[in-house]
Amino acid sequence: MKLTIREIAKMAGVSPATVSKVINQTGRISPNTIQKVKRIIEETGYQPSFSAKTLTTKKSNMIGLIYAGELNVEFNHPFFNHVINSFKNTIGLLGYDILVFSNQAINIGEVDYIARASHYQLDGCLIIAGEDIGDSITKLDESNIPTVGVDLELSGEQSSYVMTDNKKVSKQVVEYFYLHGIRKVAFLAGQEKSQVSNERRESFVQSMKEFGMDVDDNWIKYGNYFEESGYEKMKEILQEDSRPDAVFAVSDMMALGAMRAIKEAGLSVPKDIKVVGCDDIEACRYSDPSLATVKQDQIKIGKLAATMLHDLISERKVPKSLLVDPELIIRDSCKVGADFSGRS
Amino acid sequence: MKLTIREIAKMAGVSPATVSKVINQTGRISPNTIQKVKRIIEETGYQPSFSAKTLTTKKSNMIGLIYAGELNVEFNHPFFNHVINSFKNTIGLLGYDILVFSNQAINIGEVDYIARASHYQLDGCLIIAGEDIGDSITKLDESNIPTVGVDLELSGEQSSYVMTDNKKVSKQVVEYFYLHGIRKVAFLAGQEKSQVSNERRESFVQSMKEFGMDVDDNWIKYGNYFEESGYEKMKEILQEDSRPDAVFAVSDMMALGAMRAIKEAGLSVPKDIKVVGCDDIEACRYSDPSLATVKQDQIKIGKLAATMLHDLISERKVPKSLLVDPELIIRDSCKVGADFSGRS
DNA sequence: CTCAAAAAGGTAAACGATTACAAAACAGAA
DNA sequence: TTCTGTTTTGTAATCGTTTACCTTTTTGAG
């Protein structure tokens, strides 16, 4: 059933080597022979064996996709799935397919990504930052496998990373609040270990100071990016003596959770408290009120990651990191005074 | 750097064959040797080469993931990504990794899935129904490659499929309306070619008749599952002479679009028109009003698909199809009269 | 017409596993 | 001790490519 290169060679009346050269466009072959061989390949629908090819060339044309978290939610993560999708489309154009590690398979103990990668002879890996950056990620970073991180600072020789310019994220939000006379702002962070969350928090604090606004430590709470944690932490904040005029959350889901808590406390968004999230997930547009957010350019991030990884694999010069500009999207949840044109 | 089985054999003082047998637990090896070999493997972190193994065994332990649509949105599809995720987790436990076809790579002309599958020597494929079932999907279905379809009826010798019991979907909704005195119901369908949409539409019509309710052909509109089409089609419906009391859409996104159209027309959901969607995507909970929906058990669908595919690959007996029960989730958008406990 | 250089094509050895099959080692019985 | 039968281990071919290197053919200048 399945044809080998030898049989194709026989049919075309040439040697296997010639067929191989035609397929890979290496070596000098006469136009005549090329035609002949191509026709046979066409007619038979011959497909070279991936494993044989990989075995000899040591190149698999496969990229490993790793989600660095325990929750195994990469595909329904409302932010990352856009990045993954865009990455997939771009890297596909460059001739790679994507292998998704099903971490569960070896979930007893740490997953050894290097072993997995070398087992499959992957050309490179894409790491999407999740809640938890384990040891095995670090090892992969330090290995000589080309690796690109999204929202995750990598430092290895063969590593680069792309992320939104988190400094600008917080700054834009704080600036907006400042310009609209809002001075008391709470901050809902992600896990204490999360790099992204920490950058935003730090630049939040710094921006606040730059604009001469006070930062109340009680108003900085750590959650885990998900809705429930936003709800819980907001409740805690509301129990304090004084109330913030606004909340900025590191994820839309936490922001949505916060809105729920605020409404439950009998307060109104945005009249009593403005809310701004991060990511611009689908739900922002359908929430009540619609949720203001800082949009990350996920398409661009995915594209850049793909391009960088390809360059890394091709041993071209690649910048250590690329920062993508965020965009503040105003929606009802942060409308102020006259700006606020109610809603049914 | 990378060790081969031969070197491991040398280190352990045995033959490569013995090492292979230890790894794969085939053949009779003395406990003593097993210990020795295992220790070396442990110490060296040896990983057998995937391609060499695949080359000889003709088994890759990889599953191809295909999204049967042109939109390339599999990873941010608000319904399928849950299925994919659950599938991934289950199939991972069974020892498979997932290869995602980056259709773009060969997007000139039809993608030849069979060629791709045989190129990689995939053990099987999972097909997620998208907007468009092309010829190449049909060919794959008819091939002898084990294949499981989600929301897609496959008929091939080596194929099975899983989907929500769409008859029950429509019936539950119609029944709910019937019980609450609503008689005039519009229906927002997907593409005319979409199997899922058609099943729901047909059983909608049938259920309506069973409950003695009239079906107005002008109130059945075809869209494409996405928000915009729900909006457009609902607008068309509202331009008719008489107005329905309720709309049932084949997707939540279309339902959200419909709500937008209804509000724009100055009408209220649910007071003037009730709305029910399908899928229970995240946004349902955050929309205004929250959107009632028929939830599909995506986790279960993913699990079943994985199990079936594994059985198919292992040449065990597998049912041709499996139907999963849906669940009607009542939310504000379909609350009736006294039931309706308003919202700010 | 000769001959060197360039072009075209072929040979055979990898790559790193698996697996029939053969061989060796061992046990116990006679 | 010898022999038979069972366990254990090893040998070598195989899977389907690629590629270094070699051979043959072609080309065209002198």
Side-chain angles (χ1 to χ4, degrees), chain B residues 66-69 77 80 127-133 149-152 196:
Chain B
I66 297 169
Y67 176 78
H77 191 295
F80 288 131
I127 307 182
I128 305 274
E131 327 79 50
D132 182 55
I133 311 307
V150 169
D151 267 15
L152 180 65
V196 169

Side-chain angles (χ1 to χ4, degrees), chain A residues 5-6 20 56:
Chain A
I5 201 172
R6 250 171 266 273
S20 172
T56 52

Side-chain angles (χ1 to χ4, degrees), chain B residues 58-79:
Chain B
K58 271 118 185 52
K59 272 210 80 199
S60 65
N61 275 1
M62 287 197 310
I63 301 295
L65 177 65
I66 297 169
Y67 176 78
E70 288 167 351
L71 264 50
N72 252 347
V73 293
E74 56 267 50
F75 291 147
N76 47 36
H77 191 295
F79 167 62

